[in-house]
Amino acid sequence: MKVAVVGASGYTGLELLRILLRHPRVELVAATSEQRAGRSVGEAFPSLAGLMDLVFEAADPASLADRADACFTCLPHAASAPTVAALRKGGAAVVDLSADFRLRDPAAYAAAYGEHGAPDLFGRAAYGLPELHRDRIRGADFVAAPGCYPTSVLLPLTPFLREGLVEPAVHVDARSGVSGAGRKLAEDYLLAELADNVTAYSVGGGHRHVPEMEEQAGLAAGGEVRIAFVPHLLPLIRGIATTVFARPLGPLSGADARAVLERAYAEEPFVRVLPEGATPSLASVRGSNFCDVQAVVDERTGSLVLLAALDNLVKGASGQAVQCLNLMQGWPETEGLLEAPLVP
Amino acid sequence: MKVAVVGASGYTGLELLRILLRHPRVELVAATSEQRAGRSVGEAFPSLAGLMDLVFEAADPASLADRADACFTCLPHAASAPTVAALRKGGAAVVDLSADFRLRDPAAYAAAYGEHGAPDLFGRAAYGLPELHRDRIRGADFVAAPGCYPTSVLLPLTPFLREGLVEPAVHVDARSGVSGAGRKLAEDYLLAELADNVTAYSVGGGHRHVPEMEEQAGLAAGGEVRIAFVPHLLPLIRGIATTVFARPLGPLSGADARAVLERAYAEEPFVRVLPEGATPSLASVRGSNFCDVQAVVDERTGSLVLLAALDNLVKGASGQAVQCLNLMQGWPETEGLLEAPLVP
Amino acid sequence: MKVAVVGASGYTGLELLRILLRHPRVELVAATSEQRAGRSVGEAFPSLAGLMDLVFEAADPASLADRADACFTCLPHAASAPTVAALRKGGAAVVDLSADFRLRDPAAYAAAYGEHGAPDLFGRAAYGLPELHRDRIRGADFVAAPGCYPTSVLLPLTPFLREGLVEPAVHVDARSGVSGAGRKLAEDYLLAELADNVTAYSVGGGHRHVPEMEEQAGLAAGGEVRIAFVPHLLPLIRGIATTVFARPLGPLSGADARAVLERAYAEEPFVRVLPEGATPSLASVRGSNFCDVQAVVDERTGSLVLLAALDNLVKGASGQAVQCLNLMQGWPETEGLLEAPLVP
Amino acid sequence: MKVAVVGASGYTGLELLRILLRHPRVELVAATSEQRAGRSVGEAFPSLAGLMDLVFEAADPASLADRADACFTCLPHAASAPTVAALRKGGAAVVDLSADFRLRDPAAYAAAYGEHGAPDLFGRAAYGLPELHRDRIRGADFVAAPGCYPTSVLLPLTPFLREGLVEPAVHVDARSGVSGAGRKLAEDYLLAELADNVTAYSVGGGHRHVPEMEEQAGLAAGGEVRIAFVPHLLPLIRGIATTVFARPLGPLSGADARAVLERAYAEEPFVRVLPEGATPSLASVRGSNFCDVQAVVDERTGSLVLLAALDNLVKGASGQAVQCLNLMQGWPETEGLLEAPLVP
């Protein structure tokens, strides 16, 4: 199958190239980058030298839709929507990694991101979290890959919401490696500012991923869910580690809590419920499409503590996007994705 | 004033040497280390070469009490108590940095640490958090320096408990640099295991610092307080970053919340309430005795979010111990402690 | 083909598991670990959970030789030799990753490592650097995988020695991530000691990899070569970055120097000669079997400066070992090894 | 004494504020920053909140020269010269931390940096390496603080050049933390690009610090010295670790080599010659004005290996600048500078 990556020189785009290179059913036919158009991929990114012959090109959606059966779009929000619209019009299947098609509520989109670039398509993509929406993604031709933080919150939390076991207001403290911000030139992302450092940001409810989490959590709960979300920047490249504190609505033992996760994920290839006593760690998922989860009941407060770890560029972005493509095509869901994490 | 550091070759001991070197009222007369007895400090720790002439000696409490007016004890819990007892018997003032004298409830000590090594002295030390117990520390001759995590939780939280503004059950997610574990030879602390990694530990209520937090929080609240505490290990050396989620008992705006912290800490030299919109960062307190705090009310859940950052070896241990000594002696509380953080 | 990894719980052993998992011609039939015998691989190393069903076993060479066609041995030097001997006796092909069979000169071995554990086999393995000894490795059934530092020195240097272009005495400054030391419990490898730090070690000629470099460099030069080698420990997990300073014996321009490397490596899949002006970086080879090299002539001294970067656990150990297996079996040399580096 | 820091919001400027805060003979009267003019120092840099009352101002040399007896200038090269000229004209003593006044040869300046901004003053500053030029700095009113790399090369190397013990062409491999590049917005300095990474740059002789090293080395040698210099960027904030390879002109034992350093630096407060067998480490000098050095003779090549470690922002910049001010004023040379390194 012929595939193109639009916005291929950013971190999620490069990660798609890395993953697709080893995907046995995919042929990469185009990689676009406005800034690097005309340069070979291997010359612009020496890590890829000797592995592929592509030359970056400027994005021309009509031509891409012509040459590729499916396109991954890795553009900033707002910029993504019109490109996606053009690709869809040209007949290409699309997995969009921007925030433009993740939400269902246009007001929530407008509040978080401003005007939408393709309002006709808004709400038309399947939300690409296969563990929650597999049936909707299977066979679809337009999927919105979830945000990295939402994936790390929804995977451990939704089973409890679905079973009505916890109050619909939770506290979340999350930490992300800096690749989540992309290759953005800002002082905050300089090594000299960020190394040996940890800082919270967007505290108080302002992070743009919150409406996405709340919307999907609400779908699982069958009612409104409120999330107090405190994200932090970590002095490392890849990984999200998330803690969710929830209050059980009735008696809930640690064994009960673990059983909820095990029921939900026993058959899932990419969600690993850790053995009792183990806690998720970023190292154990580095470079892989796994999300490791754990549930513990705090003995002092009775609160439920949920922990999750994933690689924000893989299960939090490009790996999950490929998992969606596999489903869309009816291929084995794990195709190209069962790589072992890079440990140590 | 003549001062000795007992257990001076561990991280908190070395940090005391670093701080005391610049303290204008203190003369360092002894530094003990069983492992390094007989070696000069500068030869064992090249960072200190050229700065002091001390030779490590084995700990002989009677001799130390003879030669020093005050002793800092930096020994593991259980091992500390008998040494402290002997030093006190010899007439030395003591600031103990172990966990042996922080608690008031012997049952809580026994449950967390086992048998106590000097039961007669249990409960006799002032709890060395000057911002909470200044009057008790001033003029005291026996002080227990608080744990690093408790300091980071109690400083932002107790003002709200004291004013009866929040429910007495809170969620805490905290992250510490690895120096908090001391120079311990365990696989978990190897750079190859820990770099680029973040992992929670002691989840569910088992961390030994929790009884200390709950006891002190309870004193502030005038009643029982329960804390769900989730600590993480960070891939860096120094610093604790803590998030406290609490539920207000009545209407509480962000401005109200900040005012509570400002009332509590306006006159405090080492607790900096950040301006609105700013969040504490480890870099801004590195190597210093500051604890930076912030309060935000989450717009979605109404929960109060408290953030704190401190250097676990300074305000979380050795700097705070020196702050206590200053109070014990009636010296200016900031003596030797107003160093600028190491930024960048 | 059935393959076993002996000493599979150390870093090079785990890296072999990671690589062999994606190798299409290999079936992993056994992984040994004395310490973890009886535990499943996925339980002992959560990163591998869900990816393989092996249970660690204690090493029994006779049984392993029976069940596996080829064995990778990842044991400490001295311990490796008798195991290798038993595996060979049992008829298994062996790629040994220890230092026991890399040297040809028994006196050099004795001086660096002490008594040899299988003197009859000494000198009988092919030296597993395919770019230098491909013909000898192809079809062999016993190969010694090179050391990580020697690989990083020999790949850029030997083309110049072979052509007689430089003096046979060179200066080498090299830097390695800490995974090169294995999962060794020593204070020097704790994150709190090593983070933000760089230190040279074994300065003056004492590093055990030097005889190996000098022996192989001598073979290329057709005469004795002397190497002043200064290794450093870097505060990161993976990667070796090496600088070689050599004095040309005659006029040598930068273009000449680059041409020497290009002639040597034009057809090599894993040695990438960078374009003029680019320098090797650890990030560009992370997790991959590439060694990136560059040659520059210093305009002030006329010295030749050679730079190399590789991942010490892949091209410096386990990836190179698999490259050797591919050659031994007559498979495509790149089988299982053309993974893209993990960037960022 | 009243002192101003011009360009105080860059890394060397901030480091001067940190150091001067604890200097007992200095009163900080002004700190300039074009970008942050009008903001209080503590608000712009939270690490300094509560420690000083200064407000950043735009640089007005005439006014500064009026209010301050001495000025530190921390501006980019070329921009610095006219400001220095105006400050000197106004009567202020100046320690300039830019490259504008380090060289003696105008052609070398032009080749490395382009047109000079104050040619009348070129060559008029004392070169501020006290260990080499103490007499010239003492009592001076215009000093150029050396570059960070040159300091790390000249301190270990010049004693051997002065005694005529080594060939006047040496190989230098050096590594610097990223703060050496300042707070510069470039992709190369993003944590996501630089973490876990090491790369050489300016290979071949093009680094701007080379003419400075060669000029000063030549003064020590009494003749031309050529340096092949290969700098690397390290994934950490502070520190330079340098290796110099030199060829002895006659027999030179390791003991001889160490004796050369000991003779040169026995009385120096900030250069520590390490005991035999020890190697300099960045951690041991972090945040301090020390430069640790070691000399070893390589047993295989007979080459002399010199190692040095320093903190690029202290002994490599701002600390050394204050050491110069102390000399200029006839104060004790160590005033304000005998801080213990931040270990761990």
Side-chain angles (χ1 to χ4, degrees):
Chain A
M1 186 195 203
K2 293 182 196 308
V3 166
V5 177
V6 183
S9 68
Y11 289 156
T12 54
L14 284 173
E15 187 71 356
L16 275 164
L17 299 185
R18 185 179 79 87
I19 294 170
L20 294 172
L21 260 174
R22 65 180 186 235
H23 196 295
R25 304 189 188 225
V26 154
E27 181 195 355
L28 262 168
V29 298
T32 83
S33 167
E34 307 311 304
Q35 258 197 307
R36 292 170 175 84
R39 295 175 65 185
S40 81
V41 171
E43 184 262 324
F45 296 99
S47 69
L48 295 172
L51 290 169
M52 53 172 60
D53 293 323
L54 285 180
V55 173
F56 284 120
E57 55 188 86
D60 171 350
S63 152
L64 290 167
D66 233 41
R67 291 143 62 205
D69 306 305
C71 295
F72 293 94
T73 44
C74 307
L75 301 173
H77 64 85
S80 191
T83 301
V84 168
L87 291 167
R88 295 291 298 134
K89 199 175 156 199
V94 170
V95 183
D96 180 46
L97 285 82
S98 85
D100 280 357
F101 299 99
R102 293 172 187 163
L103 293 173
R104 301 177 155 220
D105 175 3
Y109 184 90
Y113 301 99
E115 201 181 348
H116 195 274
D120 290 355
L121 277 183
F122 188 86
R124 305 277 282 279
Y127 186 74
L129 193 51
E131 291 79 6
L132 297 190
H133 299 287
R134 182 167 286 116
D135 291 343
R136 178 107 167 65
I137 301 165
R138 188 175 285 133
D141 51 13
F142 181 23
V143 170
C148 47
Y149 281 129
T151 300
S152 80
V153 171
L154 294 169
L155 285 175
L157 177 59
T158 51
F160 294 89
L161 294 172
R162 228 161 25 217
E163 299 199 19
L165 297 171
V166 294
E167 291 184 18
V170 301
H171 295 151
V172 177
D173 193 279
R175 295 149 283 276
S176 173
V178 73
S179 63
R183 201 189 291 110
K184 194 164 138 193
L185 278 187
E187 286 191 4
D188 287 356
Y189 305 132
L190 294 177
L191 187 138
E193 299 290 321
L194 193 52
D196 300 322
N197 202 0
V198 171
T199 318
Y201 64 101
S202 300
V203 186
H207 195 284
R208 283 166 161 170
H209 281 179
V210 178
E212 179 184 344
M213 291 176 210
E214 289 189 347
E215 202 174 74
Q216 289 292 323
L219 287 175
E224 191 173 79
V225 176
R226 288 289 168 227
I227 299 178
F229 181 66
V230 180
H232 294 76
L233 209 50
L234 289 175
L236 48 85
I237 299 176
R238 285 169 179 255
I240 287 186
T242 293
T243 308
V244 179
F245 296 92
R247 297 205 181 182
L249 287 166
L252 184 80
S253 70
D256 294 341
R258 289 182 35 72
V260 170
L261 290 182
E262 278 162 0
R263 274 199 299 278
Y265 297 120
E267 305 301 318
E268 288 294 344
F270 295 121
V271 181
R272 300 188 291 198
V273 182
L274 298 191
E276 194 182 343
T279 50
S281 77
L282 298 187
S284 289
V285 298
R286 184 159 50 221
S288 82
N289 200 48
F290 293 111
C291 177
D292 287 355
V293 296
Q294 180 60 288
V296 179
V297 173
D298 182 72
E299 62 185 38
R300 292 165 187 273
T301 57
S303 291
L304 173 66
V305 178
L306 301 170
L307 301 165
L310 54 76
D311 184 321
N312 56 297
L313 292 180
V314 193
K315 185 61 177 167
S318 306
Q320 187 143 267
V322 173
Q323 189 182 350
C324 288
L325 181 71
N326 288 342
L327 277 170
M328 291 159 78
Q329 298 301 317
W331 299 334
E333 191 170 333
T334 57
E335 200 83 309
L337 291 170
L338 277 182
E339 207 60 12
L342 196 72
V343 172
Chain B
M1 187 196 201
K2 292 181 197 311
V3 166
V5 177
V6 182
S9 66
Y11 289 156
T12 54
L14 284 173
E15 186 71 356
L16 275 164
L17 299 185
R18 184 178 80 88
I19 295 169
L20 294 172
L21 261 173
R22 66 182 186 232
H23 196 296
R25 303 189 190 226
V26 153
E27 181 195 355
L28 262 169
V29 297
T32 83
S33 166
E34 307 309 304
Q35 259 196 306
R36 292 170 174 86
R39 294 175 67 184
S40 81
V41 170
E43 184 262 324
F45 296 99
S47 68
L48 295 172
L51 290 169
M52 54 172 60
D53 293 323
L54 284 181
V55 173
F56 284 120
E57 54 188 86
D60 171 348
S63 152
L64 291 167
D66 233 41
R67 291 143 63 203
D69 305 306
C71 294
F72 293 93
T73 45
C74 307
L75 301 172
H77 65 85
S80 191
T83 301
V84 168
L87 290 167
R88 294 291 297 133
K89 199 174 154 199
V94 170
V95 183
D96 180 46
L97 284 84
S98 85
D100 280 356
F101 299 99
R102 294 172 185 162
L103 294 172
R104 301 178 154 217
D105 175 2
Y109 183 90
Y113 300 99
E115 201 181 348
H116 196 273
D120 289 357
L121 277 183
F122 188 86
R124 305 278 283 279
Y127 186 74
L129 194 51
E131 291 79 6
L132 297 190
H133 298 287
R134 182 166 284 117
D135 291 344
R136 179 108 166 66
I137 300 165
R138 188 174 285 132
D141 50 14
F142 181 23
V143 170
C148 47
Y149 281 127
T151 299
S152 80
V153 171
L154 295 169
L155 286 175
L157 177 58
T158 51
F160 294 90
L161 294 172
R162 231 165 18 221
E163 299 198 19
L165 298 170
V166 294
E167 290 184 17
V170 301
H171 294 152
V172 177
D173 194 280
R175 296 149 283 276
S176 174
V178 72
S179 62
R183 200 189 291 111
K184 196 165 138 193
L185 280 186
E187 285 191 5
D188 287 355
Y189 305 132
L190 294 176
L191 187 137
E193 299 290 322
L194 193 51
D196 299 321
N197 202 0
V198 170
T199 318
Y201 62 102
S202 300
V203 186
H207 196 283
R208 283 166 161 169
H209 281 179
V210 179
E212 180 186 342
M213 292 176 207
E214 290 189 345
E215 201 174 75
Q216 289 292 323
L219 287 174
E224 191 172 80
V225 176
R226 288 290 166 226
I227 300 177
F229 180 66
V230 179
H232 293 76
L233 209 50
L234 289 174
L236 49 84
I237 299 176
R238 285 169 179 254
I240 287 184
T242 292
T243 308
V244 179
F245 296 93
R247 299 206 181 180
L249 287 166
L252 184 80
S253 71
D256 294 341
R258 289 181 37 70
V260 170
L261 290 181
E262 278 163 358
R263 273 199 300 278
Y265 297 119
E267 306 299 319
E268 288 293 343
F270 296 120
V271 182
R272 300 187 293 198
V273 181
L274 298 190
E276 196 183 342
T279 50
S281 77
L282 298 187
S284 289
V285 297
R286 185 159 50 221
S288 83
N289 200 49
F290 292 112
C291 177
D292 287 356
V293 295
Q294 179 60 288
V296 179
V297 173
D298 182 74
E299 63 185 37
R300 290 164 189 274
T301 56
S303 291
L304 173 65
V305 177
L306 302 170
L307 301 164
L310 54 77
D311 184 320
N312 57 298
L313 292 180
V314 193
K315 185 60 178 168
S318 307
Q320 186 142 270
V322 172
Q323 188 182 352
C324 288
L325 181 72
N326 288 342
L327 277 170
M328 293 159 77
Q329 298 301 316
W331 299 335
E333 193 170 333
T334 57
E335 200 84 310
L337 291 171
L338 277 181
E339 207 60 12
L342 196 72
V343 172
Chain C
M1 187 193 202
K2 292 181 197 311
V3 165
V5 177
V6 183
S9 67
Y11 289 155
T12 54
L14 284 172
E15 187 71 357
L16 275 164
L17 299 185
R18 184 178 80 86
I19 294 169
L20 294 173
L21 260 173
R22 66 180 186 234
H23 196 296
R25 304 190 189 225
V26 153
E27 181 194 356
L28 262 169
V29 298
T32 83
S33 166
E34 307 310 304
Q35 259 196 306
R36 292 169 175 84
R39 296 175 66 184
S40 82
V41 170
E43 185 262 325
F45 295 99
S47 68
L48 295 172
L51 291 169
M52 54 171 61
D53 293 323
L54 284 181
V55 173
F56 283 120
E57 54 189 86
D60 171 348
S63 152
L64 291 166
D66 233 40
R67 291 143 63 204
D69 305 306
C71 294
F72 293 94
T73 45
C74 308
L75 301 173
H77 65 85
S80 191
T83 301
V84 168
L87 290 167
R88 293 291 298 132
K89 199 175 155 197
V94 170
V95 183
D96 180 46
L97 284 84
S98 84
D100 280 357
F101 299 99
R102 293 172 187 162
L103 294 173
R104 302 179 154 217
D105 175 3
Y109 183 90
Y113 300 99
E115 201 181 347
H116 195 274
D120 289 355
L121 277 182
F122 188 86
R124 305 277 282 278
Y127 186 74
L129 194 50
E131 291 78 6
L132 297 190
H133 299 287
R134 181 166 285 116
D135 291 343
R136 178 106 167 68
I137 301 165
R138 188 175 284 133
D141 50 15
F142 180 24
V143 170
C148 48
Y149 280 129
T151 300
S152 80
V153 171
L154 294 169
L155 285 175
L157 177 59
T158 50
F160 294 89
L161 293 172
R162 230 164 20 220
E163 299 198 19
L165 298 171
V166 294
E167 290 185 19
V170 300
H171 294 151
V172 178
D173 194 279
R175 295 149 283 276
S176 174
V178 72
S179 63
R183 202 189 290 110
K184 194 163 139 195
L185 279 186
E187 286 191 4
D188 287 356
Y189 305 132
L190 294 176
L191 187 138
E193 299 290 322
L194 192 53
D196 300 321
N197 202 0
V198 170
T199 319
Y201 63 101
S202 300
V203 187
H207 195 284
R208 282 165 161 170
H209 281 180
V210 178
E212 180 185 342
M213 292 176 206
E214 290 190 345
E215 202 174 75
Q216 290 292 325
L219 287 175
E224 190 174 81
V225 175
R226 289 289 166 226
I227 299 177
F229 181 65
V230 180
H232 294 76
L233 209 50
L234 289 174
L236 48 84
I237 299 176
R238 285 170 180 254
I240 286 185
T242 293
T243 308
V244 179
F245 296 93
R247 298 205 181 181
L249 287 166
L252 185 79
S253 71
D256 294 341
R258 288 181 37 71
V260 171
L261 290 182
E262 278 163 358
R263 273 198 300 277
Y265 297 120
E267 305 301 319
E268 288 294 343
F270 296 120
V271 181
R272 300 188 292 198
V273 182
L274 298 190
E276 195 182 343
T279 51
S281 78
L282 298 188
S284 289
V285 297
R286 185 159 49 222
S288 82
N289 200 48
F290 292 111
C291 177
D292 287 357
V293 295
Q294 180 59 289
V296 179
V297 173
D298 182 74
E299 62 185 39
R300 291 164 188 275
T301 57
S303 291
L304 173 66
V305 177
L306 302 170
L307 300 165
L310 54 77
D311 183 321
N312 56 298
L313 292 180
V314 193
K315 185 61 177 168
S318 306
Q320 186 142 271
V322 172
Q323 189 182 349
C324 287
L325 181 71
N326 288 342
L327 277 171
M328 291 159 77
Q329 299 301 317
W331 299 334
E333 191 170 334
T334 57
E335 200 84 309
L337 291 171
L338 277 182
E339 207 60 12
L342 196 73
V343 172
Chain D
M1 188 195 202
K2 292 181 197 310
V3 166
V5 177
V6 183
S9 67
Y11 289 156
T12 55
L14 283 173
E15 187 71 356
L16 274 165
L17 299 185
R18 185 179 79 87
I19 294 169
L20 294 172
L21 260 173
R22 65 180 187 234
H23 196 295
R25 303 188 188 227
V26 154
E27 182 195 355
L28 263 169
V29 297
T32 83
S33 166
E34 308 309 305
Q35 258 197 305
R36 293 170 174 84
R39 295 176 65 185
S40 82
V41 171
E43 185 261 325
F45 296 98
S47 68
L48 295 172
L51 291 168
M52 54 173 59
D53 294 323
L54 284 181
V55 173
F56 284 120
E57 54 189 87
D60 171 348
S63 153
L64 290 167
D66 234 40
R67 291 143 63 205
D69 306 305
C71 294
F72 293 94
T73 44
C74 308
L75 302 172
H77 64 86
S80 191
T83 302
V84 168
L87 290 168
R88 294 291 298 133
K89 198 174 157 200
V94 170
V95 183
D96 180 46
L97 283 83
S98 84
D100 280 357
F101 300 99
R102 293 172 187 162
L103 294 173
R104 302 179 154 216
D105 175 3
Y109 184 90
Y113 300 99
E115 201 180 349
H116 195 275
D120 290 356
L121 276 183
F122 188 85
R124 306 278 283 277
Y127 186 73
L129 193 52
E131 292 78 6
L132 297 190
H133 299 287
R134 183 167 285 117
D135 290 344
R136 179 109 166 63
I137 302 165
R138 188 176 285 133
D141 49 14
F142 181 23
V143 170
C148 48
Y149 281 128
T151 300
S152 80
V153 171
L154 295 169
L155 286 175
L157 178 59
T158 50
F160 294 90
L161 294 171
R162 229 163 22 219
E163 299 199 18
L165 297 171
V166 294
E167 290 184 18
V170 300
H171 295 151
V172 177
D173 194 278
R175 295 149 283 276
S176 174
V178 72
S179 62
R183 201 189 292 109
K184 195 165 138 193
L185 279 187
E187 286 191 4
D188 287 355
Y189 305 132
L190 294 177
L191 187 137
E193 299 290 322
L194 192 52
D196 300 321
N197 202 0
V198 170
T199 318
Y201 62 102
S202 300
V203 186
H207 195 285
R208 284 165 161 170
H209 281 179
V210 178
E212 180 185 342
M213 290 176 210
E214 289 189 347
E215 201 174 75
Q216 289 292 323
L219 287 175
E224 191 174 80
V225 176
R226 288 289 166 226
I227 299 178
F229 181 66
V230 180
H232 294 76
L233 209 50
L234 289 174
L236 49 85
I237 300 176
R238 285 168 179 255
I240 287 185
T242 293
T243 308
V244 179
F245 295 92
R247 299 207 180 179
L249 287 167
L252 184 81
S253 71
D256 294 342
R258 289 182 36 70
V260 170
L261 289 182
E262 278 162 359
R263 273 198 300 279
Y265 297 120
E267 305 301 318
E268 288 294 343
F270 295 121
V271 182
R272 300 188 292 197
V273 182
L274 297 191
E276 195 182 341
T279 51
S281 77
L282 298 187
S284 289
V285 297
R286 184 158 53 219
S288 82
N289 200 48
F290 292 110
C291 177
D292 288 355
V293 295
Q294 180 59 290
V296 179
V297 173
D298 182 73
E299 62 185 39
R300 291 166 188 274
T301 56
S303 290
L304 173 66
V305 177
L306 301 171
L307 301 165
L310 54 76
D311 184 320
N312 56 298
L313 292 179
V314 193
K315 185 60 178 168
S318 306
Q320 187 143 268
V322 172
Q323 188 182 351
C324 288
L325 181 72
N326 289 342
L327 277 170
M328 292 159 77
Q329 298 301 316
W331 299 334
E333 191 170 334
T334 58
E335 200 83 310
L337 291 171
L338 277 181
E339 209 59 14
L342 197 72
V343 172

